[in-house]
């Protein structure tokens, strides 16, 4: 659907201040892939929650397997988000570097862009270990080297919390 056709059908929309649709009415928008992303993202979120719920019930299960399964969902989410052209070069670089730094995913399990649509925030699921901290530092260093951006990404650390049911 072109921006012009969209505006003819839907005079106003919720994303009005942020959209390019008025400035570029001849651009074609991929509605099918956008809907595909939204539907599959919903399924990924449900799967993510199911894994966490099962983990809470059986804390003695295979934690590494579960963490990797959560990571798979995060990487898939990031890829899907990019398929509809919403990602950014910098966040893509961080996600790719996370995967490259720990390809066996023993300490860094998954990564995805996150936030309110402004780009620039990546969530990384990692073990709470010195090895994971070293791997994250390596991600920061490689990001600066590969992108030429001298300011390394900032890290906000959140440790395991006790979850009450």
């Amino acid at each position: 659907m072109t921006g012009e056709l969209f505006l003819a059908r839907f005079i106003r929309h919720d994303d009005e201040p942020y959209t390019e649709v008025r400035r570029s009415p001849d651009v074609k928008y991929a509605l099918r892939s956008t809907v595909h992303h939204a539907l599959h993202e919903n399924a990924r979120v449900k799967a993510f929650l199911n894994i966490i719920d099962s983990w809470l019930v059986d804390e003695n299960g295979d934690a590494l397997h579960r963490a990797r399964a959560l990571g798979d969902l995060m990487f898939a989410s990031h890829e899907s988000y990019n398929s509809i052209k919403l990602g950014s070069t910098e966040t893509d670089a961080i996600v790719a570097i996370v995967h490259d730094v720990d390809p066996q995913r023993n300490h860094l399990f998954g990564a995805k862009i996150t936030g309110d649509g402004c780009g620039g925030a990546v969530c990384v699921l990692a073990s709470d270990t010195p090895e994971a901290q070293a791997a994250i530092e390596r991600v920061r260093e490689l990001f600066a080297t590969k992108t030429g951006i001298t300011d390394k990404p900032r890290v906000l650390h959140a440790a395991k919390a006790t979850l009450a049911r």
Side-chain angles (χ1 to χ4, degrees), residues 95-117:
V95 171
I97 295 167
V98 164
H99 191 272
D100 292 347
V101 162
D102 188 6
Q104 300 302 315
R105 296 189 305 149
N106 292 317
H107 304 287
L108 305 182
F109 308 116
K112 68 179 284 297
I113 190 170
T114 190
D116 64 358

Side-chain angles (χ1 to χ4, degrees), residues 9-131:
R9 286 191 185 169
F10 309 101
I11 296 169
R12 296 205 35 85
H13 53 88
D14 292 343
D15 211 19
E16 191 82 29
Y18 308 105
T19 189
E20 292 287 321
V21 88
R22 291 207 186 278
R23 288 177 280 203
S24 306
D26 56 333
V27 170
K28 290 187 178 179
Y29 295 89
L31 297 180
R32 186 171 301 203
S33 60
T34 303
V35 170
H36 183 269
H37 167 72
L39 292 173
H40 287 265
E41 187 67 3
N42 187 50
R44 281 187 292 272
V45 168
K46 287 180 178 181
F48 198 95
L49 291 173
N50 285 336
I51 293 168
I52 291 173
D53 284 344
S54 71
W55 207 332
L56 294 174
V57 172
D58 176 20
E59 290 185 24
N60 298 322
D62 185 357
L64 184 59
H65 174 76
R66 287 178 176 153
R68 286 175 176 157
L70 293 172
D72 288 342
L73 292 166
M74 292 174 75
F75 283 128
S77 174
H78 185 81
E79 185 177 320
S80 179
Y81 190 77
N82 279 340
S83 75
I84 55 175
K85 312 292 187 238
L86 293 175
S88 74
T89 304
E90 293 82 5
T91 56
D92 291 348
I94 293 171
V95 171
I97 295 167
V98 164
H99 191 272
D100 292 347
V101 162
D102 188 6
Q104 300 302 315
R105 296 189 305 149
N106 292 317
H107 304 287
L108 305 182
F109 308 116
K112 68 179 284 297
I113 190 170
T114 190
D116 64 358
C118 296
V122 173
C123 178
V124 177
L125 180 64
S127 60
D128 190 15
T129 63
E131 294 86 357

